[in-house]
Amino acid sequence: MKIKIKKQNKDGIVRVESSGDIKEFIFQEDFLNKENSPLLLCFRGKDSSGIIELSASDVDKLYSELKEREMLLNSARVMKFEK
């Protein structure tokens, strides 16, 4: 997994790039407020680690986008022609 972050501070724009492996998925469930239960993606690289927090709506958007692209890839065909 590669992570690219662009952040603006008082000196200008800072770009940070890192890579690592996803180590764990954590579902933080709030029984009283199920709408705001986030999904945490925990990753660790050689010199970096972090947690990406996704809301339920973010996960839904990601799932629908991946499903749509999967349908496009399944319908694609490679054709070979002889000269």
Side-chain angles (χ1 to χ4, degrees):
M1 175 176 84
K2 289 187 179 180
I3 303 211
K4 297 178 183 179
I5 300 169
K6 184 169 77 170
K7 180 181 177 184
Q8 188 167 357
N9 62 12
K10 63 181 179 181
D11 298 330
I13 295 176
V14 177
R15 289 184 174 90
V16 178
E17 190 171 329
S18 182
S19 63
D21 297 327
I22 295 176
K23 296 294 183 185
E24 158 174 41
F25 294 99
I26 300 173
F27 293 97
Q28 285 188 340
E29 282 202 57
D30 184 3
F31 294 112
L32 299 176
N33 190 3
K34 290 191 175 193
E35 292 294 320
N36 294 330
S37 298
L39 168 67
L40 304 176
L41 290 159
C42 304
F43 68 92
R44 182 169 186 84
K46 182 180 175 187
D47 297 322
S48 62
S49 64
I51 298 173
I52 299 172
E53 185 174 323
L54 299 171
S55 67
S57 63
D58 293 336
V59 173
D60 289 339
K61 287 179 197 174
L62 181 62
Y63 178 75
S64 64
E65 187 71 29
L66 289 174
K67 202 67 168 157
E68 182 180 317
R69 292 188 186 222
E70 180 185 26
M71 289 173 51
L72 289 173
L73 288 175
N74 287 340
S75 64
R77 294 183 189 164
V78 177
M79 298 171 54
K80 294 182 180 179
F81 296 102
E82 293 182 19
K83 291 184 179 179

